[in-house]
């Protein structure tokens, strides 16, 4: 957040405080989740993975919970599940899947489980 003349001015790469909750623009979300900037809106539109609030200029603003959820979904997809299978699961279900996938041996190309 840029501070000029004691006024808060959000920039495209800084977080904003609203009603006691911090909300983050896309740049912060991509850095914290490791997701590409084009992936996040696609997961929102097609899979309803998260539903960010829209700020001034219709910019998406994400909560810390949204960022944690996107990180869980990313790790679940990297562990072998398809986005369509996991986008609407609860965070608890995502964590459970990730815990279970750590206990299984890695899947080799061409192998069947």
């Amino acid at each position: 957040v840029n501070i000029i003349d004691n006024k808060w001015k959000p920039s495209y790469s800084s977080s904003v405080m609203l009603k006691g909750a911090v909300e983050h623009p896309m740049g912060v979300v991509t850095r914290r989740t490791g997701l590409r900037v084009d992936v996040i809106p696609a997961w929102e539109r097609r899979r309803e993975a998260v539903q960010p609030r829209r700020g001034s200029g219709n910019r998406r603003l994400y909560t810390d919970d949204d960022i944690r959820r996107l990180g869980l979904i990313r790790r679940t997809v990297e562990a072998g599940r398809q986005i369509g299978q996991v986008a609407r699961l609860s965070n608890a279900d995502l964590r459970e899947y990730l815990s279970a996938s750590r206990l299984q041996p890695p899947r080799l190309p061409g192998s069947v489980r």
Side-chain angles (χ1 to χ4, degrees):
V1 175
N2 299 323
I3 302 176
I4 300 173
D5 300 325
N6 293 325
K7 294 181 183 176
W8 291 92
K9 286 188 157 188
S11 71
Y12 287 101
S13 62
S14 61
S15 302
V16 201
M17 184 77 116
L18 181 70
K19 297 181 184 176
V22 178
E23 293 182 315
H24 310 277
M26 182 69 74
V28 171
V29 179
T30 58
R31 282 193 303 276
R32 287 179 58 186
T33 63
L35 292 168
R36 292 190 333 255
V37 71
D38 60 320
V39 169
I40 298 167
W43 284 6
E44 291 167 21
R45 279 190 314 273
R46 292 184 284 192
R47 305 299 179 188
E48 299 177 10
V50 292
Q51 297 176 348
R53 188 180 74 77
R54 296 292 180 136
S56 63
N58 206 29
R59 288 186 8 201
R60 293 171 170 87
L61 293 173
Y62 300 84
T63 64
D64 287 332
D65 288 339
D66 290 335
I67 293 172
R68 278 189 287 276
R69 178 167 178 72
L70 287 167
L72 280 171
I73 292 170
R74 179 189 58 81
R75 290 192 306 277
T76 306
V77 169
E78 288 174 350
R81 298 289 294 267
Q82 294 182 1
I83 183 63
Q85 296 172 321
V86 300
R88 293 185 184 173
L89 292 178
S90 70
N91 288 358
D93 288 342
L94 292 168
R95 283 187 204 94
E96 185 178 320
Y97 174 78
L98 286 170
S99 291
S101 68
R102 284 188 208 118
L103 301 175
Q104 296 177 3
R107 188 172 173 192
L108 299 174
S111 64
V112 178
R113 282 192 185 173

